[in-house]
Amino acid sequence: MTVAAPAASPTPVEAPAARLVLAIETSCDDTSVAVLERGAVVRSHLIATQDVHRLYGGVVPELASRAHLELLPPLVTRALEEAGVGARDLTAVAVTRGPGLVGSLVVGVAFAKAYALGLGVPVVGVNHIEAHLHAGTLEHGDSPVPAVALVVSGGHTELVVVRGPGDYRWLGSTLDDAAGEAYDKVAKLLGLGFPGGPAIDRLARDGRAHAFDLPRPMLDRPGFDFSFSGLKTAVLHALAGRPAPYPADVVADMAASFQAAVVDTLTAKTLRALDHTGARALNMGGGVACNRALRERLAGECAARGVAFRVPSPRLCADNAAMIGLVGAWMLDRGLASDDALDAVASLEESGLLPAG
Ligand code: KG4
Ligand code: ZN
């Protein structure tokens, strides 16, 4: 595993009564633990990336569950040490309940429930997508509302209107592959490693964005939904007849052309959503929100419209426990602690976050 560098040494807890939440995220292949004070100050934050999946070119669910099981206890111990607190100082435990890989989620939820029970503190189950919507708050403070949120990850591509914590209206989703999934599949076609997003992002800088003529899916249709599976097929067709492995200049040109198509598509639908809703801010999250070209493009478009653009640093875009602690603390403030029935949910539909538009 790879554990991200420890945070700077913690400041002492200001008062014994300070509200301290232990947050746990295990929805996919990152095991993450954080300690948050009053839902706002991140006192410690660890993210262990499970390198084992690289060998298989994608996340292997059974291996992910096992790795979460092994990683959680030592990460919790270290997160408490780095936060400068003892387990008995904790006042609640927040955990991702879904959506995600159900085996991975079950490990986190079972651990969190048992840990909270042992300490006699409440546990709160947090929706993973809701946490991505708000991750920027940890660095930028409260968002102006209404806001549009774009969540772009390996599993999701969602456009949502945010009117406040817990108050959402869904605008659109992908109808097939998520944006990150498309990055990963195209990277595989190009012979790049897993996950593919960072590699394509890097290589695109040396390529020509107009070298291959790729479609901008769904832009000719009204609404806010996305579709990325046709783009992957278009890449396959554009490379047909060339023997693999492809020369470096072809890989760079395809990376640049594919990335331009994804960024154009995400940008067009997001701007449509901003115009449609009159939103005052754009919040972005999910692993694809690390993408340099997407960040630059949306920053420029938002500046031109006088809309606040709020995307956190890459560490808080990807899967992380700090965003779970943030939303968990808000839920606890609203009296929304979970009961014994707290369980993992695999899909967004089951997670209860999707109100009718
Ligand atoms: O949010 P995340 O860490 O995990 C979930 O899927 O929930 O997102 C991972 C996804 C992967 O598909 C990865 O290829 C993509 O985010 N990704 C990127 C970049 N960094 C990560 N995609 C494009 N550009 C990047 N720089
Ligand atoms: Zn995620």
Side-chain angles (χ1 to χ4, degrees):
M1 69 162 184
T2 312
V3 181
S9 8
T11 48
V13 181
E14 282 168 25
R19 193 154 52 72
L20 285 170
V21 175
L22 176 73
I24 294 172
E25 152 66 34
T26 64
S27 68
C28 193
D29 61 335
D30 293 312
T31 316
S32 181
V33 176
V35 175
L36 275 81
E37 188 176 342
R38 292 188 210 89
V41 180
V42 181
R43 294 184 60 94
S44 64
H45 189 197
L46 301 171
I47 304 174
T49 303
Q50 302 174 1
D51 296 328
V52 61
H53 305 287
R54 285 179 195 274
L55 293 173
Y56 301 91
V59 178
V60 183
E62 173 64 15
L63 294 179
S65 313
R66 282 165 191 254
H68 288 307
L69 204 55
E70 284 165 17
L71 288 165
L72 268 180
L75 279 182
V76 168
T77 304
R78 193 166 140 196
L80 291 173
E81 273 168 22
E82 287 188 12
V85 301
R88 295 273 156 207
D89 297 322
L90 296 171
T91 53
V93 179
V95 63
T96 307
R97 62 187 284 264
L101 298 174
V102 79
S104 291
L105 291 164
V106 162
V107 171
V109 168
F111 183 96
K113 283 170 81 172
Y115 203 81
L117 186 69
L119 293 175
V121 299
V123 61
V124 60
V126 175
N127 189 297
H128 181 84
I129 300 300
E130 183 174 16
H132 273 309
L133 297 179
H134 296 291
T137 300
L138 288 164
E139 287 178 347
H140 303 293
D142 288 340
S143 173
V145 287
V148 163
L150 174 68
V151 176
V152 269
S153 71
H156 292 274
T157 309
E158 316 285 342
L159 264 175
V160 184
V161 183
V162 179
R163 289 179 288 220
D167 187 356
Y168 313 116
R169 184 164 67 90
W170 236 258
L171 290 176
S173 300
T174 182
L175 303 178
D176 40 58
D177 290 353
E181 196 177 354
Y183 264 97
D184 294 337
K185 287 178 175 172
V186 168
K188 206 167 187 173
L189 290 177
L190 294 175
L192 306 170
F194 174 85
I200 290 186
D201 192 4
R202 207 169 41 246
L203 288 168
R205 290 172 215 190
D206 303 325
R208 296 167 301 154
H210 299 291
F212 293 97
D213 185 21
L214 298 176
R216 272 59 178 159
M218 306 276 287
L219 290 196
D220 52 346
R221 296 206 209 154
F224 306 95
D225 286 333
F226 301 93
S227 165
F228 290 106
S229 70
L231 189 51
K232 176 201 63 197
T233 310
V235 169
L236 198 58
H237 286 155
L239 291 171
R242 295 171 192 260
Y246 308 111
D249 60 330
V250 170
V251 172
D253 281 348
M254 183 52 88
S257 301
F258 167 76
Q259 177 150 293
V262 174
V263 170
D264 280 354
T265 306
L266 291 172
T267 302
K269 292 269 166 155
T270 303
L271 296 183
R272 195 181 283 181
L274 289 173
D275 292 344
H276 176 77
T277 57
R280 299 169 58 210
L282 172 63
N283 291 305
M284 184 161 71
V288 182
C290 299
N291 187 269
R292 180 193 51 93
L294 183 62
R295 292 167 83 101
E296 280 173 9
R297 179 77 165 278
L298 287 174
E301 297 285 1
C302 284
R305 283 172 166 71
V307 168
F309 179 53
R310 296 155 41 91
V311 59
S313 47
R315 191 170 156 75
L316 290 176
C317 287
D319 290 347
N320 69 88
M323 66 180 188
I324 302 300
L326 169 80
V327 172
W330 288 349
M331 292 174 72
L332 291 162
D333 285 347
R334 290 173 10 236
L336 296 176
S338 305
D339 58 23
D340 285 351
L342 174 63
D343 205 354
V345 285
S347 71
L348 188 57
E349 288 69 26
E350 289 170 274
S351 75
L353 196 66
L354 278 180

